[in-house]
Amino acid sequence: MQASSDVISYRILASEELDRDRWNDLLINSTGGTIYHTAEWASLWPASFPCFQAAFAVADDGWRYVAGLPLVIRGRFPLRRIYSMPMGGYGGLLLRSDIKLRAGDCFGRMREAVCRLQPCLWEIVDFEGRMGYLVGYGFQRRRAATHVLDLKEQESRSRQKTKRGAVQSAKRGVEIKEIEDEDHLKACYCLLQQRDRAYGQNTKYPYEFFRNIWKELAAKGYARIALAISQERIIGFSIDLFHDDTAVYWDGASHPEFRSLRPADALIQAAITWALKRGGRWLNLGGSPPEAQGLVRFKENWGGRMREYDVYRRQSVWFNLLRRLKP
């Protein structure tokens, strides 16, 4: 179907202005949509971070959204930063597959609307490799990587080598259960903080973000929080997301004193089983920074294959200088 650019309006909508039925219809009828494109994911940010807002750049032909770009806006002018999506979540342009509309031209019109906000930084994570035209708009490109597991291959194997750790974990008495109450959630968050302190880093997400994942996303079937339990003690957890045919291992941690019980393996096996029951085809195992070779080996032992993708960033000259001067 041909969509005439003459009748399309390009706007930026706040969460309360978005027609969620239209947005969900766009998501269903676009290629490359992820859990991070959902309005529910975007809504987590202002609910958890006081300095964030959710917004949506949309192309509207009068009765449906023909294209869209989810945005999270941080701060105010002149330090306004815009992400699609922040902190490792994939974003990028959604474009209906049943219309003839040039993605680059569509983004150009959306860019005009976004630039009226005068962001000092704009970042777009393009998982599908469809937005190379951003270079022509002044964005710089860098590569990032994750590992993706083919669930069909996992389904066809029984006790293959990659499951050995999960089998050992079960023999050592580790059970996988889903979160039941907020005390469980607090215990998980403590494990996360413990992990981050060990790496000499701050925990990126506040506790409220995890609570909102549990209360909002999990309640709507977009997520679950799994617990690895040994002798009634939580020794590990994972937060798994799901949309369309793809599950995502989003975050998790294990207690360092109980690593010999292989809770991480048990949690991955549980995520695979959960995703397969939901009709999933892929399990994205999360970011794979090149310096984390132990993490990379763990994913590859499970059969994960590296998948590179692009992160595009455009920032003002003065903001670039400011970042360089910052100690």
Side-chain angles (χ1 to χ4, degrees):
M1 181 183 296
Q2 182 71 39
S4 173
S5 58
D6 296 334
V7 298
I8 296 175
S9 63
Y10 294 84
R11 297 176 291 158
I12 297 179
L13 305 176
S15 288
E16 59 272 17
E17 299 173 306
L18 184 75
D19 185 322
R20 292 207 174 194
D21 289 337
R22 288 189 180 189
W23 184 264
N24 289 336
D25 181 65
L26 170 64
L27 188 55
I28 291 169
N29 289 285
S30 301
T31 302
T34 71
I35 180 65
Y36 305 112
H37 286 87
T38 62
E40 286 78 8
W41 180 262
S43 296
L44 292 178
W45 297 88
S48 310
F49 294 86
C51 58
F52 282 78
Q53 302 172 55
F56 302 83
V58 300
D60 190 337
D61 69 359
W63 61 282
R64 62 182 178 174
Y65 298 152
V66 296
L69 186 69
L71 306 171
V72 170
I73 303 172
R74 181 178 183 179
R76 299 181 179 181
F77 178 81
L79 291 175
R80 185 177 291 124
R81 285 146 286 176
I82 296 179
Y83 303 91
S84 180
M85 295 296 289
M87 298 187 188
Y90 312 132
L93 185 71
L94 294 173
L95 185 68
R96 290 187 69 97
S97 55
D98 58 353
I99 64 169
K100 294 180 180 179
L101 193 65
R102 288 173 56 88
D105 294 341
C106 187
F107 175 81
R109 297 291 300 275
M110 284 185 177
R111 174 183 170 276
E112 293 174 7
V114 173
C115 283
R116 285 195 286 271
L117 297 175
Q118 297 180 277
C120 62
L121 178 146
W122 186 0
E123 186 174 275
I124 299 175
V125 183
D126 174 25
F127 187 65
E128 294 294 328
R130 301 173 185 271
M131 301 188 72
Y133 49 79
L134 290 177
V135 174
Y137 289 105
F139 285 78
Q140 294 183 328
R141 174 168 51 194
R142 67 175 175 86
R143 300 291 276 173
T146 184
H147 278 72
V148 177
L149 202 63
D150 186 335
L151 293 175
K152 275 194 173 180
E153 293 181 1
Q154 295 294 317
E155 191 176 30
S156 64
R157 299 171 182 168
S158 53
R159 295 168 66 90
Q160 78 278 24
K161 180 181 178 181
T162 55
K163 288 185 180 178
R164 185 177 298 162
V167 172
Q168 291 174 355
S169 186
K171 287 181 177 179
R172 293 166 187 173
V174 176
E175 297 179 276
I176 301 298
K177 298 182 180 179
E178 294 206 15
I179 188 172
E180 295 177 356
D181 54 41
E182 193 147 356
D183 287 340
H184 285 169
L185 187 66
K186 289 176 180 177
C188 293
Y189 195 70
C190 286
L191 284 179
L192 194 73
Q193 290 178 309
Q194 184 179 28
R195 179 202 70 185
D196 291 340
R197 284 195 299 269
Y199 284 109
Q201 62 190 26
N202 295 323
T203 300
K204 292 191 294 186
Y205 303 94
Y207 173 77
E208 194 64 21
F209 195 86
F210 286 77
R211 189 175 187 276
N212 286 327
I213 288 178
W214 176 43
K215 289 291 188 179
E216 300 298 329
L217 289 195
K220 295 178 181 178
Y222 286 111
R224 72 159 196 167
I225 302 178
L227 311 174
I229 297 176
S230 174
Q231 298 182 354
E232 300 184 357
R233 178 173 182 173
I234 297 173
I235 63 170
F237 80 97
S238 69
I239 296 178
D240 307 310
L241 310 176
F242 193 88
H243 176 264
D244 194 18
D245 64 351
T246 301
V248 178
Y249 172 87
W250 182 73
D251 207 348
S254 300
H255 197 294
E257 293 180 12
F258 297 93
R259 284 179 184 154
S260 63
L261 300 182
R262 312 292 288 269
D265 287 288
L267 288 163
I268 291 295
Q269 181 57 60
I272 290 170
T273 302
W274 175 71
L276 284 169
K277 285 181 179 178
R278 302 197 59 178
R281 173 64 199 277
W282 309 101
L283 173 60
N284 188 316
L285 294 172
S288 301
E291 66 274 11
Q293 286 303 303
L295 178 63
V296 169
R297 284 193 298 272
F298 174 80
K299 295 175 182 181
E300 290 177 346
N301 285 340
W302 271 98
R305 296 187 178 92
M306 181 174 285
R307 167 79 179 270
E308 291 189 319
Y309 58 93
D310 297 316
V311 180
Y312 292 91
R313 173 175 286 195
R314 185 177 187 272
Q315 55 194 25
S316 65
V317 174
W318 70 265
F319 186 69
N320 189 31
L321 291 173
L322 184 65
R323 289 173 65 92
R324 291 181 180 180
L325 291 172
K326 188 176 179 180

